[in-house]
């Protein structure tokens, strides 16, 4: 009887940890995080797209060996991030959105530092989203989100 209780407790802990590892990495988590940033500037929502998501996950999986921050140069707009610990999808979106102060709408340019991750998030014509996440061999996480149609078109305003 004691062994059964131990086994049940172990199973429950394992299920809890599995639930924690999925936290903030579901398609809806990515969509909600993006749409919160987009709503701040009055841009319509993005929706999850399975084709774009499959592309993103395949690319994330290809980064497992070296986890280098290297763009895929594929058919979609793209934001990438890497981090240690438990970098989740919402963390990555928050990191990209933190570039907002570096974007000057009046001049439609980045001021001082990077802002192109932010402008891709809020690009009004990008309406389909797909993201992927993979744990690299060095223990870090690689996160990518892809956007369709592509954003950050030179000379155009994001919103």
């Amino acid at each position: 009887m004691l062994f059964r209780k131990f086994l049940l407790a172990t199973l429950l802990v394992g299920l809890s940890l599995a639930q924690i590892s999925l936290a903030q990495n579901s398609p809806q988590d990515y969509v909600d995080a993006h749409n919160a940033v987009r709503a701040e500037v009055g841009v319509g929502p993005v929706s999850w797209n399975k084709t774009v998501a499959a592309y993103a996950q395949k690319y994330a999986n290809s980064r497992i060996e070296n986890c280098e921050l290297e763009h895929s140069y594929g058919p979609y707009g793209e934001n990438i991030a890497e981090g240690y610990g438990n970098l989740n999808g919402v963390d990555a979106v928050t990191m990209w959105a933190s570039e907002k102060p570096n974007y000057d709408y009046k001049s439609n340019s980045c001021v001082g530092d990077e802002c192109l991750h932010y402008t891709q998030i809020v690009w009004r014509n990008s309406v389909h989203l797909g993201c992927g996440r993979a744990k690299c061999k060095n223990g870090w996480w690689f996160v990518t989100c892809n956007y369709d149609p592509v954003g950050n078109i030179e000379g155009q305003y994001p919103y």
Side-chain angles (χ1 to χ4, degrees):
M1 185 67 165
L2 184 60
F3 178 74
R4 283 188 184 160
K5 285 183 180 180
F6 173 76
L7 189 58
L8 180 60
T10 303
L11 179 63
L12 290 174
V13 167
L15 288 173
S16 297
L17 291 175
Q19 193 68 9
I20 289 168
S21 69
L22 294 176
Q24 304 196 332
N25 291 307
S26 75
Q28 195 60 53
D29 291 327
Y30 284 102
V31 167
D32 291 346
H34 277 82
N35 286 338
V37 177
R38 291 169 69 90
E40 289 177 5
V41 292
V43 175
V46 291
S47 61
W48 192 258
N49 181 286
K50 290 180 182 179
T51 302
V52 179
Y55 177 88
Q57 189 59 58
K58 183 177 179 182
Y59 186 66
N61 292 343
S62 79
R63 305 310 314 152
I64 289 172
E65 285 297 319
N66 60 21
C67 213
E68 289 181 16
L69 274 179
E70 194 174 288
H71 283 281
S72 69
Y73 299 102
Y76 306 112
E78 183 172 74
N79 281 338
I80 57 176
E82 68 176 357
Y84 59 92
N86 191 29
L87 177 71
N88 62 55
V90 173
D91 291 337
V93 176
T94 301
M95 187 171 24
W96 299 325
S98 72
E99 296 176 355
K100 181 180 182 176
N102 300 328
Y103 176 66
D104 177 55
Y105 186 84
K106 191 173 184 177
S107 67
N108 190 30
S109 63
C110 297
V111 202
D113 203 0
E114 264 187 66
C115 72
L116 296 177
H117 298 101
Y118 167 72
T119 54
Q120 178 59 80
I121 290 173
V122 297
W123 199 265
R124 73 176 166 271
N125 294 333
S126 295
V127 294
H128 301 289
L129 174 70
C131 301
R133 179 175 177 260
K135 188 157 190 171
C136 301
K137 287 189 174 181
N138 66 2
W140 286 45
W141 288 95
F142 184 90
V143 178
T144 180
C145 286
N146 291 96
Y147 307 85
D148 185 48
V150 67
N152 284 335
I153 299 169
E154 195 170 336
Q156 293 184 17
Y157 280 79
Y159 51 89

